[in-house]
Structure formats: C-alpha cells, structure tokens
C-alpha cells in the first residue's frame, strides 16, 4: 500500500500479484507452486472480482507481470486478451469492466488502487486465520525480514534483510 500511495505503480502491482505465492507457501510446506497460488487466490480473493478474475487468470497475470513485464498472457485467451489497470481516474469508476475494441480485442479493466486494496485486505484476513497454525509458524521462521544484527567490524549492528 505504501508503493501505491507513493504512486510507485509498478512495484505496487508486482507486489500485489506476488502475495498469493508467498501466502500459499507460508500456509503449506514453504514452497510455491502454481496450484497453491490458484487455490489461495480462489479461497481468499476471487470473491471480490465477480468471476472476471479467478485464481488461474490471476496466476497468468502474475507470470506475465513478474516475468515479462506485460499485462497479457496466452492463458487469458478464453476470457480476454489483456488486462488494463487504470490509475488516477478522477473519481470515475472503471473497475471490473470488460471492453471490446472494434477489432474484437477484449480487455479487462481494473483500478490499480482497488486491486491492491483487495489483495492487502485479503492477506490481512488470511493472516488473522492462519498465523497461529503450525505450518505458518514453522515457515515464517525462514521468511526474510528486517532485523538489526551485529557484524564483526561493527558492534552496534546494522540493519539487514535476511532469512533468519
């Protein structure tokens, strides 16, 4: 949400589409897999997208955004050709709209802030349900996080991000 508030739209989107991978790994055996992503999204997020975006479509979106820097994927073809995110739309709601171009190309339009808010809310709701489970507690021990650690040349410690 800080990325979104700072208008750092690309990091906000990449973070948002990565959340299901991380959460699904934390609640299972610590490893990410496409089926885990899809199942996590369907269980925790899909209800906010009126059947226009399900776990499979979200997984394809994640792949195209994180690995190719695109908003299209061959897996979209049975629903739409591309996802379009809008930002700063002056109070006009353009969220969850399908647009068909004159040439037949279909777009799913989402508002980036609403997409990120849904991902954030879904994650917080999910975390409240699983943070006391054994799988989550065990996997979180290996999750990277910021900490202050002393180094041999600096007794005061430095801020590091690492898996502890």
């Amino acid at each position: 949400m800080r990325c979104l508030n700072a208008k750092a739209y690309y990091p906000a989107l990449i973070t948002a589409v990565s959340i299901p991978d991380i959460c699904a790994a934390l609640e299972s055996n610590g490893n990410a897999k496409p089926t885990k992503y899809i199942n996590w999204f369907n269980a925790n997020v899909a209800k906010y997208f009126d059947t226009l975006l399900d776990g499979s479509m979200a997984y394809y979106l994640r792949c195209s955004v994180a690995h190719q820097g695109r908003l299209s994927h061959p897996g979209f073809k049975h629903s739409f050709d591309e996802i379009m995110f809008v930002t700063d739309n002056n109070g006009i709601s353009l969220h969850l709209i399908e647009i068909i171009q004159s040439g037949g190309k279909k777009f799913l339009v989402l508002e980036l802030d609403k997409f990120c808010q849904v991902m954030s809310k879904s994650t917080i709701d999910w975390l409240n349900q699983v943070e006391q489970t054994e799988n989550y507690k065990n996997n979180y021990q290996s999750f990277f996080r910021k900490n202050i650690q002393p180094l041999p040349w600096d007794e005061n410690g430095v801020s590091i991000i690492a898996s502890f």
Side-chain angles (χ1 to χ4, degrees):
M1 294 310 298
R2 287 183 180 173
C3 288
L4 192 60
N5 292 336
K7 299 190 183 295
Y9 298 127
Y10 303 131
L13 180 57
I14 290 169
T15 300
V17 298
S18 299
I19 287 172
D21 258 335
I22 296 165
C23 294
L26 281 168
E27 77 176 356
S28 64
N29 65 354
N31 296 314
K33 289 190 175 193
T35 53
K36 291 179 186 180
Y37 184 107
I38 292 165
N39 292 338
W40 189 93
F41 189 95
N42 284 337
N44 297 284
V45 183
K47 60 190 171 198
Y48 298 105
F49 292 102
D50 298 332
T51 71
L52 291 173
L53 188 65
D54 65 8
S56 294
M57 292 291 120
Y59 182 75
Y60 295 139
L61 175 62
R62 166 234 180 252
C63 292
S64 64
V65 167
H67 300 295
Q68 286 93 31
R70 298 180 184 162
L71 292 171
S72 62
H73 189 282
F76 290 167
K77 292 300 178 198
H78 71 276
S79 298
F80 43 85
D81 297 296
E82 191 168 329
I83 293 178
M84 180 185 308
F85 284 94
V86 295
T87 63
D88 305 323
N89 45 332
N90 297 320
I92 300 169
S93 182
L94 299 170
H95 192 61
L96 291 174
I97 296 174
E98 291 181 275
I99 296 175
I100 302 174
Q101 225 176 17
S102 61
K105 190 172 182 178
K106 287 176 64 176
F107 294 89
L108 173 62
V109 180
L110 301 171
E111 292 179 16
L112 183 60
D113 62 336
K114 288 183 181 176
F115 180 79
C116 291
Q117 289 166 0
V118 163
M119 295 304 291
S120 179
K121 179 191 180 329
S122 299
T123 304
I124 291 166
D125 292 347
W126 165 84
L127 183 60
N128 289 332
Q129 294 174 7
V130 301
E131 67 183 332
Q132 296 306 316
T133 65
E134 289 305 311
N135 275 352
Y136 178 86
K137 288 192 271 187
N138 289 337
N139 290 321
Y140 187 71
Q141 290 176 18
S142 300
F143 192 74
F144 70 89
R145 54 193 174 271
K146 185 177 174 189
N147 202 345
I148 303 294
Q149 292 289 326
L151 295 174
W153 61 87
D154 181 6
E155 300 176 355
N156 296 322
V158 296
S159 180
I160 64 168
I161 297 173
S163 297
F164 298 98

